[in-house]
């Protein structure tokens, strides 16, 4: 299997990072979806080039460097996703138990939002960078502290961050495929599941991700262990939406062409995938281009984040692993990445996903080929929507707003009448409630922000008059939709 990467430092205060995700002014993770523009023209920045295929290209941002004009100029110009390098971690956000401090985290968040970027949250539950008070806890007391921390941080950013790394680096290096022996693991093997369930309740609109390193090579035991966990979670209904591959490639953990297989296999489980902390020892243009092409080849790959702006900002600065030199000049690897992004095609999934907010159009069921329809063009509150032959009528024209609403007739919203399986989906006068907000996902599913359940054609029906309800997300074609 070969050797693994250098051990991760206990405190990653030198990590430079970025992950992903928040669309400015948008509630909910999928609102971060980016509609691809015309595929013909090449773009001259990384973020714009990635956007052509419906993806993002991000970086890690450190609050202490936001006064560096060269740093901020490059970051603002090139990237459209931001991950706080250290500022949203446990020691930074809850230095004393029950006393939260978001000063540095908000500085990064606000800079990103003010510059029109999405934000990805990193990280909520992790064995490292715990404050001393947490390190000294164990058992049920530590378990409750983890739950309280997740609720506190996600509550502060509720509805404003599209993706969260809920759990980070829970598996052991080497050939065992075992869980890491951490204080969190010693609270019970179900701690990861508890973290994800807590996170879903804390912010139903956010995508929930598991994030790890040395899991890019499909043949490695650690990769297989993570795969088995995600598979189990999906089978049992544990709320996991995405998997982050840190992708710190170096001589001990080199890039392998089977990385694409890894991404494809995880995506096949029904989760999105993302490259979350990319850096490559020596910044090989060939390897950087290969990683980009791997993401472009997998329809559920949301995007790529490099862990820092310039080499001097990297936690591995001696490896010169990033796309910009210390002086801010572009490397050959930058050009290789930009060319790969510009040469990539739009999202290759044969089932197009809904577009970003804006405009109006029909919402068509993938399984039925019929459209989301208000029966008899009714405008009465409480009218349950249905499937019907697409006819471009005003009762089939849905506009997706920046608030996450699906509006018809301009003033009526797609509305969930409850939060449980079988809940009717109806129209109702728009009033801003979470039961009228929807998360549009890259797999074509439409998820209620309040319930976490999917827009579903009853009984997997495909005929005219089939009613629409909420139901647990299964990935079925009766739960996938396109906007036309």
């Amino acid at each position: 299997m070969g050797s693994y990467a250098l051990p991760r430092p206990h405190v990653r205060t030198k990590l430079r990072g970025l992950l992903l995700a928040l669309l400015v002014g948008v509630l909910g993770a999928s609102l971060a979806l980016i509609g691809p523009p015309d595929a013909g023209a090449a773009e001259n920045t990384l973020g714009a080039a990635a956007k052509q295929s419906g993806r993002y290209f991000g970086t890690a941002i450190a609050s202490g460097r936001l006064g560096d004009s060269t740093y901020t100029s490059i970051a603002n110009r090139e990237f459209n996703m931001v991950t706080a390098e250290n500022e949203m971690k446990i020691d930074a956000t809850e230095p004393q138990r029950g006393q939260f401090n978001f000063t540095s985290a908000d500085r990064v968040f606000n800079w990103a939002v003010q510059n029109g970027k999405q934000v990805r949250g990193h990280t909520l539950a992790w064995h490292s960078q715990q404050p001393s008070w947490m390190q000294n806890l164990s058992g049920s007391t530590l378990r409750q502290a983890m739950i309280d921390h997740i609720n506190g941080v996600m509550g502060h950013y509720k509805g404003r961050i599209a993706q969260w790394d809920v759990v980070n680096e829970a598996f052991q290096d080497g050939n065992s495929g075992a869980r890491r022996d951490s204080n969190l693991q010693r609270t019970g093997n179900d701690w990861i599941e508890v973290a994800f369930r807590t996170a879903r309740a804390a912010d139903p609109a956010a995508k929930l991700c598991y994030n790890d390193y040395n899991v890019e090579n499909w043949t490695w035991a650690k990769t297989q262990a993570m795969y088995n966990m995600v598979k189990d979670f999906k089978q049992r209904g544990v709320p996991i939406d995405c998997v982050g591959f840190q992708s710190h490639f170096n001589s001990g953990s080199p890039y392998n062409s089977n990385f694409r297989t890894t991404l494809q296999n995880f995506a096949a489980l029904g989760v999105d995938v993302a490259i979350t902390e990319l850096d490559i020892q020596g910044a090989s243009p060939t390897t950087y281009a290969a990683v980009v092409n791997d993401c472009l080849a997998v329809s559920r790959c949301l995007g790529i984040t490099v862990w820092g702006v310039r080499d001097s900002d990297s936690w591995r600065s001696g490896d010169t692993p990033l796309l910009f030199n210390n002086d801010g000049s572009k490397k050959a690897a930058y050009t290789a990445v930009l060319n790969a992004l510009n040469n990539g095609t739009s999202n290759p999934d044969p089932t197009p996903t809904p577009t970003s907010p804006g405009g109006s159009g029909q919402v068509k069921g993938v399984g039925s080929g019929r459209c989301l329809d208000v029966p008899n063009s009714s405008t009465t509150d409480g009218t349950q929507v249905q499937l019907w032959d697409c006819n471009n009528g005003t009762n089939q024209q849905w506009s997706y707003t920046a608030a996450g609403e699906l509006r018809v007739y301009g003033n009526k919203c797609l509305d969930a009448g409850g939060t449980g399986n079988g809940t009717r989906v109806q129209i109702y006068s728009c009033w801003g409630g979470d039961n009228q907000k929807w998360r549009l996902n890259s797999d074509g599913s439409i998820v209620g922000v309040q319930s976490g359940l999917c827009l579903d054609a009853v009984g997997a029906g495909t005929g005219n008059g089939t009613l629409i309800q909420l139901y647990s997300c299964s990935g079925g074609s009766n739960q996938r939709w396109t906007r036309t």
Side-chain angles (χ1 to χ4, degrees):
M1 179 178 295
S3 60
Y4 283 84
L6 296 174
R8 306 281 280 186
H10 179 64
V11 177
R12 282 163 46 179
T13 54
K14 294 185 178 179
L15 288 181
R16 306 299 171 206
L18 156 176
L19 280 162
L20 358 119
L22 135 45
L23 185 60
V24 180
V26 177
L27 294 174
S30 336
L31 306 188
L33 290 175
I34 305 165
D38 293 337
E43 297 288 350
N44 59 9
T45 66
L46 301 173
K51 186 177 179 179
Q52 294 176 114
S53 64
R55 294 169 175 82
Y56 62 82
F57 203 96
T59 190
I61 291 294
S63 62
R65 295 183 182 271
L66 289 175
D68 181 333
S69 60
T70 302
Y71 178 87
T72 54
S73 175
I74 296 170
N76 191 27
R77 180 187 74 226
E78 295 290 341
F79 304 106
N80 56 2
M81 180 68 72
V82 161
T83 300
E85 185 175 322
N86 289 291
E87 290 79 358
M88 292 187 184
K89 291 173 182 171
I90 309 169
D91 56 353
T93 53
E94 194 179 0
Q96 301 296 325
R97 187 174 185 183
Q99 298 178 18
F100 291 88
N101 185 335
F102 296 104
T103 302
S104 295
D106 283 349
R107 187 179 185 203
V108 174
F109 177 87
N110 291 336
W111 180 88
V113 170
Q114 289 162 8
N115 287 284
K117 305 183 190 309
Q118 304 170 0
V119 177
R120 191 170 189 273
H122 175 79
T123 179
L124 296 168
W126 188 28
H127 70 277
S128 186
Q129 285 185 246
Q130 295 178 4
S132 58
W133 67 263
M134 182 175 278
Q135 295 174 32
N136 293 327
L137 300 182
S138 62
S140 60
T141 306
L142 175 59
R143 175 69 65 88
Q144 188 60 52
M146 177 192 77
I147 292 170
D148 293 344
H149 179 78
I150 293 170
N151 284 327
V153 177
M154 292 190 77
H156 179 76
Y157 290 108
K158 185 175 183 179
R160 299 189 291 158
I161 286 185
Q163 301 172 43
W164 271 106
D165 286 330
V166 177
V167 173
N168 196 47
E169 300 176 2
F171 286 92
Q172 182 173 302
D173 281 328
N175 301 324
S176 70
R179 293 277 187 90
R180 182 188 297 274
D181 180 24
S182 68
N183 61 347
L184 291 168
Q185 178 64 28
R186 290 191 292 273
T187 69
N189 202 53
D190 64 337
W191 74 274
I192 300 177
E193 176 176 343
V194 170
F196 274 90
R197 292 192 185 280
T198 302
R200 175 65 87 221
D203 188 352
K207 281 184 183 289
L208 308 181
C209 307
Y210 176 80
N211 191 55
D212 216 324
Y213 69 99
N214 282 357
V215 287
E216 295 77 21
N217 188 318
W218 178 245
T219 68
W220 284 4
K222 189 175 180 181
T223 309
Q224 293 300 311
M226 183 172 78
Y227 177 86
N228 289 332
M229 180 190 73
V230 175
K231 182 178 180 180
D232 172 62
F233 280 9
K234 293 299 290 184
Q235 290 173 339
R236 294 192 296 110
V238 178
I240 184 170
D241 304 310
C242 47
V243 177
F245 297 82
Q246 293 184 16
S247 304
H248 296 294
F249 294 118
N250 56 49
S251 56
S253 180
Y255 169 80
N256 188 293
S257 60
N258 70 21
F259 184 31
R260 185 175 303 188
T261 299
T262 302
L263 296 175
Q264 290 169 333
N265 288 342
F266 275 86
L269 293 176
V271 293
D272 293 328
V273 294
I275 297 166
T276 56
E277 302 182 21
L278 178 64
D279 48 30
I280 299 172
Q281 184 176 13
S284 160
T286 302
T287 305
Y288 260 110
V291 173
V292 171
N293 286 325
D294 289 341
C295 178
L296 292 172
V298 178
S299 62
R300 296 196 70 152
C301 185
L302 299 171
I304 298 169
T305 295
V306 288
W307 206 243
V309 177
R310 306 160 297 190
D311 283 340
S312 54
D313 307 312
S314 170
W315 69 296
R316 300 168 54 197
S317 58
D319 288 343
T320 60
L322 297 176
L323 300 177
F324 294 88
N325 293 305
N326 294 350
D327 63 1
S329 58
K330 299 171 182 176
K331 296 184 182 181
Y334 171 92
T335 303
V337 167
L338 185 65
N339 288 342
L341 292 170
N342 277 319
N343 290 334
T345 58
S346 60
N347 193 322
D349 190 326
T351 304
T353 59
T355 59
S356 57
S360 146
Q362 298 176 125
V363 177
K364 183 184 290 187
V366 170
S368 65
R370 292 189 164 89
C371 281
L372 195 64
D373 175 281
V374 183
N376 302 314
S377 298
S378 172
T379 59
T380 303
D381 284 349
T383 300
Q384 188 169 6
V385 294
Q386 63 180 4
L387 292 178
W388 200 264
D389 291 332
C390 300
N391 56 37
N392 284 311
T394 56
N395 63 323
Q396 294 184 352
Q397 296 296 312
W398 301 90
S399 61
Y400 185 36
T401 73
E405 302 160 328
L406 280 164
R407 290 192 174 218
V408 66
Y409 310 133
N411 63 350
K412 298 292 183 179
C413 277
L414 193 67
D415 176 287
T419 58
N421 281 338
T423 294
R424 63 189 284 125
V425 176
Q426 58 196 5
I427 61 165
Y428 211 89
S429 298
C430 299
W431 65 280
D434 282 350
N435 67 314
Q436 294 185 344
K437 294 181 177 129
W438 305 89
R439 176 159 51 94
L440 276 58
N441 292 324
S442 61
D443 62 354
S445 62
I446 299 178
V447 175
V449 165
Q450 184 184 61
S451 66
L453 302 178
C454 273
L455 201 67
D456 175 284
V458 172
T462 59
N464 281 335
T466 299
L467 295 175
I468 305 301
Q469 63 180 359
L470 291 179
Y471 213 83
S472 298
C473 300
S474 65
S477 61
N478 67 315
Q479 294 184 348
R480 290 188 291 133
W481 309 84
T482 64
R483 282 185 68 193
T484 60

